[in-house]
Amino acid sequence: MRKISLIGFVMLIVSIPTFAGGLLTNTNQHAAFLRMLSRGATFEIDGALSNPAGLAFLPNDGFHMGLSIQSAFQTRNIDASFMRYTMDGATPSTESFAKYYKGKAAAPIIPSVFAAYKKGDWTISGFFAITGGGGKASFDDGLPMFESLAMAGIFKATSKEGTPVSPNMLDINSAMDGKQYIYSVQLGLSYKINDWLSVFGGGRMNYFTGGYEGYLDAKLKENYGGKNLMNLALDCDQTGWGLTPVVGVDAKFGKFNFGAKYEFKTNLNIENNTKKNTDENGTLAAFKHGVNTPNDIPSMLSVAAAYEILPVLRASVEYHFYDDKKAGMAGDKQKFLTKGTNEYLMGIEWDIVKRLTLSCGGQITDYGLSDNFQSDTSFSCDSYSLGVGAKVILSDRAALNVGYMWTNYDDYTKTSQNYNSTGLSGTNVYSRTNKVFGLSIDYRF
């Protein structure tokens, strides 16, 4: 009975985006984004990420830099309800099993560094940031995929051996932690062709590091003998790297400014460094030491327009497209997406006094989700985000940005007649929350 198959356990791939952006891409790296959200047509130092071509229009020659610290906190919850077998291991019960599974992801300190040096028509710029993942997710009570498969498998196996068990006889303990970070360093060059047009070309080096640790122990309760029925455990680290070419353009027309950027797809494979795997030739084969898994970063298009309504009042709108369907994922999950990700952003800022700017913004994120794409260990939800904050001019050379963004997610309901391959029906309602606070200092030398 120790080899009862848990198909779902091999799906222990957790996506942990604690930022705004696509399925695997973080767009908020600076507090200016949190306070306004639409930054794709900016001329400030955070443009090293959001509008690198625009840095050719920095107002002063010399060295510019920005340091940002953010804190992000997220919940990922699953309201599960699924049918189960009776003691004979073959007949579906008339009663369902229901449980609310809570997951938490936290990244209390997320640093980013931006830098640019402008000399005449040329500007060299770069940044260091966590452009994907960025935190650790923990499900202290396990996941419904584990519990449902354990119940179904145990009922079938024990009934065949003539010792059928009922749900109230079982003691199932499971937990799962996952962490994921993509550290990135970008370097590129902007050139001002004339007074209204500039271009950018550069590249980004991405280093992936992640870790997955989980277990499932199932046994009979002490008053039924305490016999072990199932033991599975996994401790696996993963690493990989890839290069992202980036190009951009910026155009100024009177009070309008237009910025565009294209990030090419990053081919990225991650390799297992497995310390513990109790079933590496069976259900946990995907995490065998040395196995490679695709984890591509999708190409991304950003187009933005900013307008100076008044000398003290500015507005911006922006569009992002992530071509997720062409980015390789574990198990070719990208094939189940109905489309790439579309994002719509807008923001406004107002200089209420000479040294203080207030701002706010919004973002709508629309994924191409489907039931086959969603799983307990990796699910996304369409959302809208709101951000507020301020910019304080500390001196002629220094500015402070502070921002707060929260995201409201639509619940995603997945109903299946073959819940986690148990042959029984069940329903999961996936829900999430996300809150990010950031503080940034920009300085011109």
Side-chain angles (χ1 to χ4, degrees):
M1 285 181 283
R2 295 178 184 270
K3 287 290 185 179
I4 296 172
S5 175
L6 263 183
I7 299 173
F9 209 81
V10 304
M11 298 169 63
L12 192 61
I13 299 290
V14 187
S15 63
I16 317 169
T18 52
F19 293 83
L23 294 170
L24 198 65
T25 308
N26 300 335
T27 52
N28 59 301
Q29 301 293 345
H30 193 280
F33 179 93
L34 299 179
R35 69 175 178 85
M36 189 177 174
L37 295 180
S38 178
R39 301 292 293 176
T42 184
F43 296 143
E44 298 182 16
I45 188 60
D46 60 301
L49 169 67
S50 56
N51 184 30
L55 294 184
F57 294 110
L58 282 168
N60 300 100
D61 281 4
F63 187 69
H64 305 250
M65 73 171 299
L67 172 64
S68 180
I69 300 294
Q70 297 184 70
S71 298
F73 303 92
Q74 187 179 95
T75 64
R76 322 167 136 255
N77 303 318
I78 307 172
D79 192 357
S81 176
F82 52 88
M83 302 303 294
R84 57 193 182 191
Y85 289 105
T86 56
M87 290 178 61
D88 62 10
T91 307
S93 171
T94 58
E95 298 181 356
S96 63
F97 176 84
K99 186 175 178 179
Y100 193 72
Y101 298 81
K102 297 181 179 180
K104 296 180 180 180
I109 299 177
I110 310 161
S112 301
V113 180
F114 303 81
Y117 179 78
K118 182 177 183 292
K119 182 67 173 179
D121 295 333
W122 294 91
T123 303
I124 184 171
S125 66
F127 68 84
F128 166 80
I130 300 173
T131 59
K136 178 180 179 180
S138 299
F139 286 85
D140 295 336
D141 296 322
L143 291 168
M145 61 188 294
F146 301 158
E147 203 148 356
S148 61
L149 282 163
M151 285 185 182
I154 289 171
F155 293 166
K156 288 183 178 181
T158 54
S159 63
K160 288 180 181 178
E161 295 184 4
T163 56
V165 299
S166 63
N168 66 308
M169 298 168 63
L170 290 175
D171 188 359
I172 300 176
N173 293 305
S174 65
M176 188 267 291
D177 290 337
K179 58 183 179 181
Q180 183 184 98
Y181 301 87
I182 299 179
Y183 298 100
S184 298
V185 176
Q186 179 172 302
L187 187 66
L189 194 62
S190 303
Y191 176 66
K192 186 171 69 172
I193 298 174
N194 52 42
D195 290 341
W196 61 272
L197 182 65
S198 64
V199 293
F200 170 85
R204 182 184 305 164
M205 179 63 72
N206 307 279
Y207 177 74
F208 176 101
T209 178
Y212 308 98
E213 185 174 2
Y215 72 89
L216 186 146
D217 295 322
K219 63 180 181 179
L220 294 175
K221 293 181 179 178
E222 292 299 326
N223 54 328
Y224 294 104
K227 181 181 179 181
N228 284 329
L229 301 175
M230 180 185 300
N231 301 103
L232 288 175
L234 175 68
D235 185 356
C236 176
D237 291 332
Q238 295 178 319
T239 58
W241 66 274
L243 181 65
T244 308
V246 183
V247 294
V249 63
D250 188 275
K252 297 171 59 178
F253 300 99
K255 295 183 178 182
F256 282 97
N257 186 62
F258 299 92
K261 177 187 67 168
Y262 185 77
E263 300 178 0
F264 291 80
K265 185 183 78 170
T266 307
N267 294 317
L268 194 155
N269 286 328
I270 53 179
E271 183 175 348
N272 293 340
N273 179 15
T274 305
K275 303 178 182 66
K276 186 175 184 180
N277 188 333
T278 59
D279 195 15
E280 66 176 18
N281 295 316
T283 56
L284 300 180
F287 299 96
K288 192 172 183 177
H289 183 75
V291 170
N292 280 269
T293 304
N295 198 67
D296 294 347
I297 302 173
S299 62
M300 182 261 199
L301 172 67
S302 170
V303 180
Y307 180 67
E308 185 183 277
I309 303 171
L310 296 171
V312 296
L313 184 64
R314 297 166 297 279
S316 178
V317 294
E318 191 169 347
Y319 169 72
H320 296 164
F321 175 72
Y322 301 87
D323 198 1
D324 302 302
K325 284 187 67 64
K326 294 182 181 178
M329 302 180 186
D332 280 339
K333 279 187 58 178
Q334 74 278 3
K335 295 181 179 179
F336 298 122
L337 290 168
T338 62
K339 60 182 180 180
T341 299
N342 293 281
E343 282 188 334
Y344 310 90
L345 307 93
M346 62 197 74
I348 191 166
E349 56 181 356
W350 175 33
D351 303 332
I352 59 170
V353 293
K354 183 178 180 180
R355 294 189 177 272
L356 177 62
T357 299
L358 299 182
S359 60
C360 63
Q363 171 180 297
I364 297 172
T365 301
D366 177 25
Y367 299 116
L369 303 173
S370 70
D371 285 357
N372 288 330
F373 180 83
Q374 303 281 65
S375 70
D376 293 0
T377 53
S378 180
F379 62 86
S380 299
C381 301
D382 293 341
S383 66
Y384 70 90
S385 300
L386 300 174
V388 295
K391 175 183 176 182
V392 181
I393 304 299
L394 302 177
S395 71
D396 292 340
R397 294 179 178 270
L400 170 71
N401 283 274
V402 59
Y404 177 73
M405 181 188 76
W406 67 98
T407 303
N408 299 272
Y409 294 89
D410 296 334
D411 290 351
Y412 187 99
T413 301
K414 176 181 177 179
T415 300
S416 173
Q417 299 304 312
N418 185 21
Y419 188 84
N420 292 324
S421 302
T422 61
L424 302 173
S425 62
T427 298
N428 283 347
V429 179
Y430 298 114
S431 61
R432 295 171 61 168
T433 65
N434 190 50
K435 299 176 182 179
V436 186
F437 173 79
L439 185 71
S440 303
I441 293 286
D442 298 340
Y443 191 83
R444 174 176 63 85
F445 292 89

